[in-house]
């Protein structure tokens, strides 16, 4: 079973030991980073190694990484290795030495196990198998390869290495960076010896490290195994996405053996889908910039997603890929909820001003026209508003012409007002009259300035947060056929967002 290991990067022995002792037992190992210690003389450093070996409360890897391999040791190379030897003689369970010096360190007759490691902070080199062989030939008990993944294709190559080699001898194969997160979280699924979780976001010792807390609480690391179903969000960039928090909480609440990951894919959507489908991918959320492009890789796309030319949900069943869109239904449900509160149902014949002409606008505009709403689309780039309006038989205008309208419903689908630019509003405040329904697609912050002013003027408001949770719940239900635990999804999302 793969272990969770936390690197401790404090600068003194006592705070390093405090950090180790503060970790829960589910973190089975620590990596003691000797190169982070700020101890000026060598004799004191030797004593520090002995104190750390005696004082730690769980198995530890002792590492003294030089600058050239991403560490902080600037001193003499001979002394660097002597400190590793001192760790071996003081009872360390594991030591980690770099490939190029691995021949100079032997664990002799001790019970210490030697990790021979290769790092590359620039790229994933083409010859991973060769590097693996070189490490193994240096008398390695465990091979570690940690390289930067620039895209998902690099991550897939790393997973392939782990699948091929990890079963026969212990291997730590990790891709660093945003694209590499799946290799870190899925180590137990593919037979990795361990994965690293950072002590905190601020104390990550490699790019893309996930905190130990997120590994345990969000990803349920110790529940992941060969049968765990895989889900995720495909985007670029992806790390800002709230979806992993929400969907993992939903899977946990329903007791499902499933994990949801961030997949950073720039190019190569088809190769990504082929590889992960083979690994057990069951469903995907799709967001910027892939909603349209992914349609070309589906076996079937439903009518609504075809109409608006955007798939936000992929379901993989019996080897077939189905594309659908939960944004539209979620948007219209959110709007209907507000219309009910405003006693404005049915929507038929109501006048709506929709601001924006991008993907979200297309979804909302389609739903509105299907509900018989009289629609005007306003956009910064008027040509885009015109194009969308004409495809739906709606009216259009520029942002400076909005004031002439007297809408019953105002919907913002631009990013204006989104964190950190929270002081902006997308429409003239004069349009926010009593009883007008005001809906915002922006969900961070939960109450945008637009919604706050609207509420103060007795408008009926509908938040992007309601819409967001609703589209995520729709995805969960599409994939699993179960009722989504909305309350839990909402709670975990609220904890992460600006109030
Ligand atoms: P998109 O396709 O990139 O469209 C962006 C729209 O915003 C365009 O109409 C763009 O106008 C306009 N815009 C951007 N910056 C602007 C500015 N400074 N001033 C005026 N207009 C500006 O993006 P999208 O997918 O439609 O998403 C738009 C927003 O909706 C995002 O904030 C997204 O997070 C949110 N959203 C929320 C949900 C939800 O579940 N709550 C669902 C989908 C989207 P131009 O055409 O002139 O560039």
């Amino acid at each position: 079973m793969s272990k969770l290991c936390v690197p401790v990067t404090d600068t003194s022995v006592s705070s390093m030991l405090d950090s180790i002792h503060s970790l829960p037992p589910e973190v089975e190992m620590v990596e003691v980073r000797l190169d982070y210690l700020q101890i000026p003389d060598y004799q004191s450093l030797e004593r520090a190694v002995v104190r750390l070996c005696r004082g730690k409360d769980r198995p530890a890897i002792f590492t003294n990484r030089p600058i050239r391999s991403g560490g902080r040791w600037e001193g003499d190379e001979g002394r660097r290795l002597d400190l590793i030897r001192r760790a071996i003689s003081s009872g360390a369970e594991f030591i980690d030495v770099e490939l190029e010096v691995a021949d100079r360190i032997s664990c002799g007759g001790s019970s210490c196990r030697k990790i021979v490691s290769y790092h590359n902070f620039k790229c994933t080199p083409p010859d991973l198998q060769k590097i693996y062989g070189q490490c193994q030939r240096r008398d390695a008990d465990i091979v570690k390869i940690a390289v930067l993944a620039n895209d998902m294709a690099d991550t897939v190559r790393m997973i392939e290495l782990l699948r091929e080699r990890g079963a026969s001898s212990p291997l730590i194969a990790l891709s660093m960076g945003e694209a590499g997160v799946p290799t870190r979280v899925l180590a137990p699924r593919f037979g990795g010896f361990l994965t690293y979780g950072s002590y905190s976001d601020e104390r990550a010792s490699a790019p893309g490290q996930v905190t130990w807390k997120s590994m345990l609480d969000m990803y349920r690391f110790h529940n992941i195994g060969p049968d765990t179903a895989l889900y995720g969000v495909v985007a670029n960039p992806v790390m800002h996405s709230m979806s992993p928090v929400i969907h993992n909480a939903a899977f946990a609440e329903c007791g499902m053996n499933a994990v949801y990951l961030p997949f950073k894919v720039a190019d190569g959507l088809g190769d990504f889908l082929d590889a992960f489908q083979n690994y057990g991918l069951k469903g995907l959320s799709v967001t910027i910039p892939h909603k349209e492009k992914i349609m070309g890789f589906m076996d079937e796309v439903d009518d609504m997603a075809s109409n608006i030319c955007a798939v936000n949900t992929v379901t993989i069943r019996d080897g077939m890929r189905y594309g659908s869109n939960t944004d539209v239904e979620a948007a219209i449900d959110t709007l209907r909820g507000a219309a009910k509160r405003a006693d404005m149902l049915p929507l038929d014949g109501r006048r709506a001003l929709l601001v924006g002409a991008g993907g979200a606008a297309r979804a909302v505009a389609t739903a509105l026209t299907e509900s018989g709403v009289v629609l005007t689309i306003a956009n910064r780039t008027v040509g885009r508003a015109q194009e969308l309006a004409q495809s739906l038989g709606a009216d259009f205008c520029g942002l400076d012409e909005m004031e002439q309208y007297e809408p019953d419903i105002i919907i913002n689908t631009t990013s204006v007002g989104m964190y950190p630019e929270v002081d902006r509003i997308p429409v003239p405040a004069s349009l926010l009259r009593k009883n007008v329904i005001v809906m915002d697609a922006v969900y961070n912050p939960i109450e945008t300035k637009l919604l706050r002013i609207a509420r103060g003027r007795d408008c009926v408001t509908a938040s992007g947060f309601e819409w967001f949770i609703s589209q995520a719940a729709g995805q969960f239900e599409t994939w699993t056929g179960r009722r989504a635990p909305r309350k839990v999804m909402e709670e975990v999302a609220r904890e992460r967002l600006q109030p």
Side-chain angles (χ1 to χ4, degrees):
M1 213 177 79
S2 304
K3 298 186 174 34
L4 179 57
C5 175
V6 171
V8 281
T9 55
D10 302 79
T11 54
S12 74
V13 173
S14 53
S15 59
M16 223 175 224
L17 287 173
D18 285 347
S19 294
I20 295 171
H21 298 157
S22 72
L23 293 166
E26 291 84 357
V27 174
E28 297 104 332
M29 291 173 69
V30 288
E31 181 187 37
V32 175
R33 288 294 298 263
L34 299 175
D35 50 309
Y36 276 73
L37 287 173
Q38 284 177 8
I39 298 175
D41 68 286
Y42 181 69
Q43 280 70 30
S44 305
L45 264 173
E46 279 192 314
R47 282 196 295 275
V49 173
V50 177
R51 273 182 66 202
L52 286 162
C53 281
R54 287 192 187 140
K56 66 188 177 47
D57 60 2
R58 67 199 80 201
I61 303 167
F62 279 73
T63 305
N64 196 10
R65 194 79 73 219
I67 288 185
R68 64 172 186 277
S69 302
R72 296 201 170 177
W73 178 268
E74 289 181 283
D76 178 76
E77 179 70 356
R79 288 193 154 177
R80 180 174 82 84
L81 300 181
D82 280 345
L83 288 175
I84 294 285
R85 293 186 189 102
R86 176 50 67 106
I88 297 170
S89 63
S90 303
E93 290 81 4
F94 301 90
I95 47 113
D96 176 333
V97 283
E98 304 73 33
L99 169 62
E100 67 275 12
V101 294
D103 279 340
R104 295 169 63 187
I105 297 281
S106 161
C107 292
S110 76
S111 59
C112 184
R113 296 170 77 191
K114 180 161 112 177
I115 300 173
V116 176
S117 60
Y118 170 86
H119 295 85
N120 187 324
F121 291 88
K122 291 200 180 112
C123 67
T124 302
D127 46 356
L128 288 177
Q129 293 284 358
K130 192 170 149 203
I131 293 165
Y132 172 84
Q134 288 169 341
C135 291
Q136 237 198 2
R137 283 194 294 278
R138 299 298 189 285
D139 198 19
D141 293 305
I142 299 151
V143 171
K144 173 185 172 189
I145 299 181
V147 295
L148 183 73
N150 285 306
D151 194 9
M152 194 49 66
D154 291 337
T155 305
V156 167
R157 288 203 290 123
M158 201 55 140
I159 292 174
E160 285 303 312
L161 179 77
L162 187 53
R163 277 161 46 104
E164 198 176 318
R165 302 287 191 165
S168 52
S169 56
L171 173 61
I172 304 165
L174 298 171
S175 295
M176 295 185 279
E178 199 180 356
V181 172
T183 62
R184 296 181 180 280
V185 177
L186 297 179
R189 188 163 179 18
F190 300 125
F193 179 69
L194 63 74
T195 203
Y196 298 91
S198 65
Y199 193 87
S200 62
D201 280 330
E202 300 73 42
R203 285 165 65 180
S205 59
Q209 251 176 26
V210 177
T211 63
W212 64 263
K213 212 167 174 348
S214 294
M215 278 287 188
L216 294 177
D217 297 348
M218 177 164 78
Y219 291 116
R220 295 184 293 154
F221 180 75
H222 290 309
N223 290 359
I224 297 174
D227 300 329
T228 303
L230 304 186
Y231 295 85
V233 51
V234 59
N236 185 26
V238 73
M239 287 316 278
H240 67 284
S241 172
M242 293 284 301
S243 298
V245 177
I246 296 175
H247 285 293
N248 279 314
F251 289 139
E253 177 68 15
C254 296
M256 291 178 63
N257 182 12
V259 65
Y260 185 103
L261 295 149
F263 295 116
K264 181 196 166 189
V265 177
D267 301 312
L269 260 181
D271 291 341
F272 157 71
L273 284 165
D274 289 346
F276 274 81
Q277 190 166 339
N278 189 30
Y279 303 153
L281 186 71
K282 301 281 182 231
L284 278 177
S285 310
V286 186
T287 184
I288 297 170
H290 298 306
K291 284 186 182 179
E292 196 172 334
K293 206 165 162 199
I294 205 159
M295 294 174 75
F297 300 100
M298 298 295 105
D299 293 301
E300 221 175 285
V301 174
D302 76 7
D303 289 346
M304 177 55 81
S306 295
N307 273 351
I308 63 166
C309 243
V311 160
N312 84 331
T313 309
V314 173
T315 309
I316 298 172
R317 204 171 285 137
D318 301 326
M320 299 280 281
R321 298 174 189 158
Y322 301 95
S324 56
N325 195 304
T326 62
D327 269 339
V328 183
E329 201 177 315
I332 202 73
D333 281 354
T334 305
L335 180 64
R336 278 187 202 285
K340 194 168 174 203
R341 293 195 293 279
D343 203 15
M344 275 172 62
L345 284 176
L347 293 172
D348 197 17
R350 303 282 178 194
R351 291 157 303 164
L353 178 65
L354 176 68
V355 193
R362 202 164 353 130
V364 176
T366 307
L368 289 177
T369 43
E370 281 185 2
S371 302
V373 170
V374 180
L375 180 63
T376 302
I377 300 170
N379 195 42
R380 182 177 60 179
T381 309
V382 184
R384 286 184 84 191
Q386 180 176 13
E387 204 178 305
L388 180 59
Q390 283 175 348
S391 71
L392 295 164
D395 196 4
F396 68 93
C397 68
L399 297 181
D400 55 350
E401 297 167 287
M402 289 191 286
E403 230 154 351
Q404 73 192 28
Y405 290 88
E406 282 191 25
D408 306 308
I409 302 165
I410 297 170
I411 303 177
N412 172 47
T413 63
T414 74
S415 48
V416 174
M418 188 165 82
Y419 182 83
E421 293 185 49
V422 294
D423 272 335
R424 302 183 58 210
I425 64 166
V427 295
S430 58
L431 293 185
L432 307 175
R433 300 187 192 97
K434 191 173 175 182
N435 293 336
V436 168
I437 296 177
V438 180
M439 177 162 147
D440 204 338
V442 174
Y443 58 86
N444 188 11
I446 294 174
E447 184 172 67
T448 57
K449 186 170 181 184
L450 172 68
L451 294 182
R452 197 169 58 248
I453 297 176
R455 191 165 49 84
R457 295 186 176 194
D458 291 331
C459 301
V460 177
T461 58
S463 72
F465 185 73
E466 280 175 74
W467 175 4
F468 179 65
I469 296 294
S470 196
Q471 63 78 30
Q475 294 184 323
F476 184 92
E477 288 170 5
T478 305
W479 296 327
T480 66
R482 297 183 186 210
R483 212 177 156 76
R486 278 186 191 234
K487 203 160 167 275
V488 169
M489 296 167 93
E490 211 180 299
E491 273 167 15
V492 291
R494 256 181 216 288
E495 273 170 30
R496 297 277 176 128
L497 288 170
Q498 318 295 318

